[in-house]
Amino acid sequence: MHSNRVPPSATFAWGNVSEDFALFRTLSAEQRRIAFGAMTRRDLVRGELLVEQGGASDALFLVLHGALAVYRTSHPEPIAELRAGELVGEIGFFANIPRTANVIAIRDTSVLVLTRAAYTTLARETPEIVEALLAALARRFATETARLLPVRASPKARTVALISGGREPMPAAFEHRLREGLAAAGAEIVDLARVQAMFPGRALDASEVADWLNRIEYDAPLVAYFGGPDASDWARKTIRQADLVVFACRGHAPTPDLTEIERFACGVHPASTRRLVRVHDVRRHEVSGTAAWLARLPCFMHHHVALEDQLDIDSLVRFLCGRAVGFVAGGGGSLGTAHVGVYKAFRERGATFDIFVGTSVGSAMAAGFAKNYDAEHLERGTHEIFVSSRSFRRPTWPRYALLDHKAFDAALADQYGHNCRIEDCWRPFAAVATNLSTHNLELIRTGLLWQAVRASSAIPGLLPPFYTRDGSMLVDGCLVDNVPLAQMHQMKSGPNLVVHFGDPATEMFDVDYAALPGRLELLASLLTPFRKKLLPAAPSAVNVLWRSLVAHQRYDTLPTTPLDMVMRPPTPDGIDVTDFDRHQEIFESSYRWARETIAASEAAHHPAIAAIVASANGADKATEMVADRGADRATATAPVSQQARVG
């Protein structure tokens, strides 16, 4: 820790920087000079405590560069992140109450300190400065309040450190292509050679080196630090400097003992700020051994990259830049093949989806997308699972469920692979289920793929729940979230295509309740063809069950952003959620509709469609990234009716 009074030369330099800070834009150059002259600079290393909850509020802090996380002792996750230009400790300082939270440096950070004594002097000698600061502070509070989210969104990283994982050397082609992809996306590339060329003979921890790096970080939408293959001082500095550390690895996971640089990175970064990239020669539907890598290096998310072309490199770049394109697949029974039709239309337009999340039948389709299956393969699989195997036409003695689940389970395992794990799918995937043991949403991101789909699709009453090894009872995810857009937002930033089948027009039923037959009359009608035609045209029991399960879902208040495109494919006449034998008709109808809708949306210049199809051209431009900087830690929400909603 280092603290000193800001010297005149530094005051002038930081005065220039302060013009970028909203708190000081209303001050004149002379007022900024006086304000900064009253402060001292304090440098913190990653992990150092700046403010302790319950401590005396005897100073106010302004972040010059770096990043700090705000924690409460009763909450394990950070409640906020603070970066350049933001104040720290203002609540306790101005209210003269003990500190309300802990504030810890999550990167090497510098702050300016205004003590209470210095503030008192400043207020007495130059009150106009204090008035301007308080007015700016009030505006900041108004802005922060306006962007509060009901659901926590995944923050974008501003700095990324790329280091080697494992012991097998990384192909030079991977780093070369990644550098090119990041540079094309507007990111700043910083390696040891560049630093040494700028500051020959200077130590990496020299103040001028730190100030230069932090100036780059403040100006650029993303800074990518290439740490090199060894556990060097430079690699350690990049890890301390980064919001996110990415382990690039190749081959099979080595023995459990971590390398020196892996051990250092895991000591600095929690799993939530670690990513794993497995580099392969060619692209496949699935690989093997990813679970072993994640056991060695637990990470929040992992990616598979093939060196045969630039496609996966571009996908990784979109993730790092906060522009990954997601596909959110809602539940809907037999209507699920509409996802395939929409997917095919977007793929023909050239769009690439980077991550998939689905509920119920949406998870079944999204799982196929994550394995790089094409639309025709998924159509054949749908026929095998729901028609050929007669999975939903096998009643059983109703001890555990109304249907025999064995045929369904076998069909799922045959289609997705008996031993295929979610971690080994080529693209990231998650399935939403309802955990009846904990009464919470269960986001399934590891384990056997077919079991995840089975758990997400376990319609209560029709199929037995899926029981995990730890004793959790999982049923259909539609009970908690039939359109898991919020879960997608929590996993990554960037545009999303959201496909669902809800929010239908009000539907009334011309059914005489007194005409509904009892069991004997119904049995007689079912056994006599001419009497069967006289039965009331009421929905089936399964149809009623489905309507009941999703009746709570509000489709007009999905947590959309301007870059989320919500689509509701129209249902062909006479089809309901149990008509799996008409999957081909549903697929073809949704495909034709999606092609027309994409063309119309592009003609209307919808920002969401532009962001989604940008992946067709590798169009993650620097100008787009700069435009997104104001949303680095928050995602503006609005009712779906105000967003790019079609259908």
Side-chain angles (χ1 to χ4, degrees), residues 41-377:
R41 172 170 168 163
R42 178 177 171 184
D43 298 321
L44 302 102
V45 298
R46 187 184 194 114
E48 187 172 348
L49 184 69
L50 175 65
V51 165
E52 184 175 7
Q53 184 171 339
S57 299
D58 52 5
L60 181 68
F61 307 94
L62 173 69
V63 183
L64 285 176
H65 53 69
L68 302 115
V70 182
Y71 290 86
R72 290 204 175 98
T73 54
S74 60
H75 198 282
E77 296 295 324
I79 58 176
E81 288 186 8
L82 302 171
R83 296 179 181 261
E86 297 191 87
L87 287 175
V88 182
E90 69 275 18
I91 296 176
F93 185 83
F94 287 110
N96 199 22
I97 60 175
R99 301 294 192 191
T100 59
N102 298 309
V103 180
I104 302 172
I106 54 174
R107 283 178 38 204
D108 291 353
T109 300
S110 294
V111 299
L112 291 181
V113 185
L114 181 65
T115 65
R116 190 170 297 280
Y119 175 80
T120 301
T121 301
L122 198 65
R124 183 176 63 251
E125 297 180 356
T126 52
E128 65 275 10
I129 294 179
V130 174
E131 291 177 5
L133 289 176
L134 290 176
L137 184 61
R139 288 194 295 272
R140 175 176 175 268
F141 274 128
T143 301
E144 292 295 315
T145 301
R147 74 180 192 182
L148 288 177
L149 287 178
V151 176
R152 186 180 175 193
S154 174
K156 288 184 184 178
R158 294 292 302 278
T159 55
V160 176
L162 296 115
I163 63 173
S164 294
R167 295 182 173 85
E168 190 169 331
M170 192 57 51
F174 170 71
E175 181 172 327
H176 176 71
R177 291 183 182 180
L178 184 58
R179 284 173 177 258
E180 287 187 339
L182 287 166
E188 281 279 355
I189 309 298
V190 180
D191 56 17
L192 181 59
R194 182 178 178 185
V195 175
Q196 290 177 334
M198 287 289 298
F199 304 96
R202 300 295 294 167
L204 292 175
D205 289 332
S207 61
E208 57 265 43
V209 176
D211 291 345
W212 176 72
L213 291 176
N214 287 299
R215 181 72 243 191
I216 290 177
E217 291 175 11
Y218 187 78
D219 291 336
L222 177 72
V223 178
Y225 291 104
F226 283 78
D230 304 317
S232 62
D233 291 341
W234 168 247
R236 289 184 173 87
K237 183 172 181 64
T238 65
I239 291 168
R240 294 196 310 269
Q241 198 81 4
D243 298 326
L244 201 68
V245 63
V246 178
F247 298 99
C249 57
R250 187 165 171 82
H252 295 291
T255 58
D257 293 337
L258 299 181
T259 65
E260 185 178 350
I261 196 63
E262 288 174 336
R263 190 161 46 250
F264 179 81
C266 291
V268 171
H269 285 269
S272 61
T273 60
R274 301 198 297 254
R275 303 293 185 269
L276 181 77
V277 177
R278 293 193 65 192
V279 180
H280 310 269
D281 292 326
V282 296
R283 188 174 300 107
R284 300 182 177 91
H285 296 305
E286 64 182 89
V287 295
S288 63
T290 309
W293 273 108
L294 292 173
R296 173 186 176 85
L297 295 169
C299 295
F300 177 73
M301 190 173 290
H302 65 278
H303 309 274
H304 296 287
V305 171
L307 296 179
E308 61 182 86
D309 53 35
Q310 191 70 13
L311 184 65
D312 299 322
I313 294 287
D314 289 342
S315 177
L316 177 60
V317 168
R318 286 192 291 272
F319 270 104
L320 297 180
C321 295
R323 301 187 64 81
V325 182
F327 192 112
V328 178
S334 66
L335 305 181
T337 51
H339 290 303
V340 184
V342 173
Y343 178 77
K344 180 180 180 180
F346 272 92
R347 293 292 290 125
E348 288 182 350
R349 175 59 183 82
T352 298
F353 295 98
D354 304 304
I355 180 173
F356 302 91
V357 179
T359 295
S360 195
V361 74
S363 74
M365 304 305 159
F369 301 154
K371 292 193 67 172
N372 280 336
Y373 288 158
D374 59 26
E376 287 67 27
H377 183 112

Side-chain angles (χ1 to χ4, degrees), residues 370-580:
K371 292 193 67 172
N372 280 336
Y373 288 158
D374 59 26
E376 287 67 27
H377 183 112
L378 285 169
E379 256 297 281
R380 291 193 300 271
T382 300
H383 189 83
E384 290 296 325
I385 294 171
F386 295 105
V387 181
S388 297
S389 72
R390 298 178 57 83
S391 298
F392 278 42
R393 297 181 183 274
R394 294 176 179 267
T396 186
W397 186 260
R399 170 62 175 85
Y400 302 105
L402 296 178
L403 297 178
D404 183 351
H405 65 289
K406 292 297 186 179
F408 186 44
D409 290 4
L412 289 176
D414 287 343
Q415 290 301 316
Y416 297 110
H418 289 256
N419 299 309
C420 175
R421 298 183 62 87
I422 294 174
E423 302 94 309
D424 291 326
C425 294
W426 195 259
R427 297 289 181 208
F429 163 79
V432 172
T434 303
N435 191 323
L436 293 184
S437 297
T438 63
H439 313 291
N440 289 315
L441 181 146
E442 186 85 7
L443 190 65
I444 308 172
R445 299 180 57 196
T446 60
L448 293 178
L449 181 63
W450 78 264
Q451 291 183 352
V453 174
R454 170 64 175 82
S456 182
S457 307
I459 304 174
L462 287 185
L463 293 168
F466 185 85
Y467 296 93
T468 66
R469 289 185 177 181
D470 64 2
S472 292
M473 181 196 299
L474 305 182
V475 297
D476 200 306
C478 71
L479 274 72
V480 286
D481 197 343
N482 200 40
V483 187
L485 176 58
Q487 283 64 50
M488 181 68 85
H489 282 166
Q490 291 171 1
M491 293 175 66
K492 62 92 185 173
S493 300
N496 298 295
L497 176 64
V498 185
V499 182
H500 72 81
F501 312 106
D503 199 21
T506 300
E507 186 175 3
M508 309 306 290
F509 299 92
D510 185 16
V511 176
D512 180 4
Y513 175 74
L516 292 176
R519 59 176 180 171
L520 295 179
E521 185 181 357
L522 177 60
L523 180 61
S525 297
L526 293 176
L527 294 175
T528 309
F530 77 90
R531 293 186 61 181
K532 184 177 180 180
K533 297 179 181 180
L534 301 178
L535 289 173
S540 67
V542 174
N543 187 291
V544 174
L545 176 61
W546 171 256
R547 292 170 185 268
S548 302
L549 293 176
V550 300
H552 69 285
Q553 181 79 52
R554 289 291 304 276
Y555 299 96
D556 58 339
T557 57
L558 294 175
T560 54
T561 76
L563 296 184
D564 292 329
M565 183 170 188
V566 181
M567 301 180 74
R568 180 179 180 267
T571 303
D573 291 340
I575 292 180
D576 73 13
V577 295
T578 62
D579 291 332
F580 289 101

